[in-house]
Amino acid sequence: AQSVTQLGSHVSVSEGALVLLRCNYSSSVPPYLFWYVQYPNQGLQLLLKYTSAATLVKGINGFEAEFKKSETSFHLTKPSAHMSDAAEYFCAVSPTGGGNKLTFGTGTQLKVEL
Amino acid sequence: DTAVSQTPKYLVTQMGNDKSIKCEQNLGHDTMYWYKQDSKKFLKIMFSYNNKELIINETVPNRFSPKSPDKAHLNLHINSLELGDSAVYFCASSPNKGNGYTFGSGTRLTVV
């Protein structure tokens, strides 16, 4: 079964600093990978996705993620954090074979401080 | 023009009651889902329907019964509500593989 592990349930950065949220996947073949953001009392919004095209994926709000097969990682980055980036971030995986079930990581809460 | 809309947004009810949550999507997607998010923000899939056909049924108590009258609607009925059912329930839809899901804004269910 495929899964993702998010390292660090809470990450705190200063405004203007680099954001790095870590995600490692477990799969026998490279899967589809996603990052979602959840603002308080809202649903989940797709930030970006990896579907076996370019390994460096750019998303909305200045976020990007790089797929590294050798490290089984799909870390999310943003060069300069903004106060509005404070939210819960989820990494998710779905199979490239049969089915389209999305399995989520446990989430990372990002706090942005002045 | 909300893409995936859920009603109600908040639901407070007593133990033992039966309640329903409705979901509608206007994206033309073939597949719809129900997810449960617990108090620790963990998201777990409950059900998935593809064009009105049940394709995923995770280990969910029989008290939970999804119904899909057409591919744009997926409702969730819960019988004999228990305290442990308190959570946020999300509906989602997707067109096909590799495109991710579009989520509704969630229904916060509180059982007292």
Side-chain angles (χ1 to χ4, degrees), chain B residues 2 4 18 29 36-37 75 85 93:
Chain B
T2 305
V4 180
D18 303 339
H29 292 169
K36 179 180 180 181
Q37 185 174 46
N75 304 322
D85 298 331
S93 70

Side-chain angles (χ1 to χ4, degrees), chain B residues 18-68:
Chain B
D18 303 339
K19 290 294 177 185
S20 292
I21 306 172
K22 295 185 176 182
C23 179
E24 176 182 2
Q25 56 98 0
N26 62 6
L27 298 167
H29 292 169
D30 285 334
T31 311
M32 296 184 71
Y33 311 82
W34 278 110
Y35 275 76
K36 179 180 180 181
Q37 185 174 46
D38 63 22
S39 59
K40 295 184 178 180
K41 301 285 184 73
F42 183 65
L43 284 150
K44 184 172 170 54
I45 191 167
M46 301 173 68
F47 302 103
S48 173
Y49 270 74
N50 182 274
N51 205 8
K52 302 193 297 177
E53 180 183 348
L54 181 65
I55 56 171
I56 295 176
N57 186 351
E58 294 289 300
T59 308
V60 178
N62 291 337
R63 301 181 294 103
F64 289 79
S65 54
K67 285 186 174 54
S68 182

Side-chain angles (χ1 to χ4, degrees), chain A residues 27-74:
Chain A
S27 176
S28 56
V29 295
Y32 294 136
L33 291 159
F34 306 84
W35 276 99
Y36 282 84
V37 61
Q38 184 180 27
Y39 298 102
N41 299 315
Q42 293 187 28
L44 285 83
Q45 181 182 5
L46 181 65
L47 275 177
L48 49 78
K49 61 185 179 185
Y50 168 77
T51 56
S52 71
T55 56
L56 182 62
V57 181
K58 294 188 183 300
I60 62 171
N61 302 338
F63 284 93
E64 62 181 38
E66 186 171 9
F67 173 76
K68 291 187 177 180
K69 184 178 177 181
S70 61
E71 299 177 7
T72 61
S73 69
F74 191 57

